[in-house]
């Protein structure tokens, strides 16, 4: 039998990042960011979202500790 975890947040603007070892999922939205234990199907943490910066979400560090926000400058 195969175990499957699906992020319950159905917002199409949510950006998801899976940790390098596949055990943790970070689901980042405008209103909240949620860290999930994939194996246990349980929420580990819930944090404030990125608000208007969500559109700038870029590369996530494999350990899920740092998210790069991509911005542009006129010039």
């Amino acid at each position: 039998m195969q175990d499957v975890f699906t992020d319950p947040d159905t917002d199409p603007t949510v950006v998801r990042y899976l940790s390098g070892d596949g055990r943790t999922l970070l689901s980042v939205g405008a209103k909240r960011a949620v860290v999930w234990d994939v194996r246990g199907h349980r929420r580990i943490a819930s944090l404030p979202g990125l608000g208007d910066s969500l559109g700038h979400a870029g590369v996530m560090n494999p350990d899920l500790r740092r998210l790069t926000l991509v911005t542009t400058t006129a010039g």
Side-chain angles (χ1 to χ4, degrees), residues 5 11 13-14 16-17 22 24-25 30-31 33-34 44 63 66 68-69 73 75:
F5 174 77
D11 182 342
T13 64
V14 168
R16 294 171 182 89
Y17 301 94
T24 307
L25 176 73
K31 295 180 183 177
V34 180
I44 298 172
D63 65 5
R66 290 181 297 277
T68 302
L69 296 180
T73 55

Side-chain angles (χ1 to χ4, degrees), residues 18-62:
L18 189 61
S19 65
D21 62 9
R23 295 180 181 182
T24 307
L25 176 73
L26 174 59
S27 177
V28 181
K31 295 180 183 177
R32 68 179 174 200
V34 180
V35 182
W36 293 96
D37 170 4
V38 175
R39 286 183 179 178
H41 296 227
R42 65 184 181 90
R43 182 174 48 204
I44 298 172
S46 184
L47 309 159
L50 294 180
D52 293 337
S53 296
L54 180 60
H56 300 287
V59 177
M60 175 61 73
N61 190 332

